[in-house]
Amino acid sequence: MKKIKFRKRSMTDLIIVADIDLQNKDGDALYSDARRRGDFDVDYHYVIHRDGHVEQGREQMAVGGLYVDPQETSIIVFVDVPTGGEETDVQKKAVNDLLGCFKTDFRDADVARVKGEYIPVNYAEYACTSAFTVR
């Protein structure tokens, strides 16, 4: 998986944890989907898979992806949850552990929990440009 260097965030004031059905895909498959959509890289900084393991996408201090707002000041964590499902116990633990690490470096950042939508490869069929927006 080839990684592109993105510019660094000047600040981090929001940590977005989005429950999204990523169809149980691993990081390589998510990266391939992003490239086939015409994106340079995945949108997220971290993804928590259904078995609870955490995989890094973008570098932690890089700006977030195109489909995430506000991308300039946020860390994005996707949690792979089946549509209509809930986070598993191991995912909840992984989220708490990751947030604990973030709170050390980003003490003043707020945490937003959202439900998101995975943008499939054929996203041109979608009427919206964002999977989710946090305001």
Side-chain angles (χ1 to χ4, degrees):
M1 175 177 355
K2 179 123 172 117
K3 290 290 182 179
I4 294 180
K5 272 245 193 252
F6 290 91
R7 74 181 180 284
K8 304 268 186 218
R9 290 188 315 278
S10 60
M11 64 177 288
T12 303
D13 62 4
L14 185 62
I15 300 166
I16 301 169
V17 180
D19 288 349
I20 298 180
D21 185 354
L22 299 174
Q23 304 161 359
N24 210 25
K25 295 182 179 184
D26 65 14
D28 289 337
L30 295 170
Y31 176 77
S32 292
D33 284 357
R35 295 296 294 152
R36 289 190 301 161
R37 281 193 308 265
D39 299 332
F40 291 115
D41 200 356
V42 294
D43 293 333
Y44 58 84
H45 294 93
Y46 296 93
V47 62
I48 299 174
H49 295 282
R50 293 181 184 181
D51 64 2
H53 85 272
V54 178
E55 192 171 8
Q56 187 168 1
R58 292 183 178 215
E59 291 181 19
Q60 182 168 297
M61 289 307 297
V63 295
L66 175 65
Y67 302 105
V68 179
D69 185 28
Q71 59 182 261
E72 297 291 329
T73 60
S74 302
I75 292 179
I76 298 95
V77 178
F78 286 172
V79 184
D80 186 9
V81 177
T83 300
E86 298 291 325
E87 292 176 4
T88 64
D89 289 342
V90 292
Q91 285 177 314
K92 289 175 185 174
K93 181 180 181 332
V95 168
N96 287 334
D97 290 348
L98 200 53
L99 290 176
C101 292
F102 292 159
K103 284 300 180 182
T104 301
D105 295 329
F106 312 112
R107 284 186 183 91
D108 297 328
D110 292 324
V111 176
R113 298 296 308 248
V114 299
K115 296 280 186 188
E117 181 178 353
Y118 183 62
I119 305 291
V121 172
N122 60 345
Y123 78 100
E125 297 172 8
Y126 278 64
C128 65
T129 59
S130 293
F132 56 85
T133 301
V134 177
R135 300 253 181 229

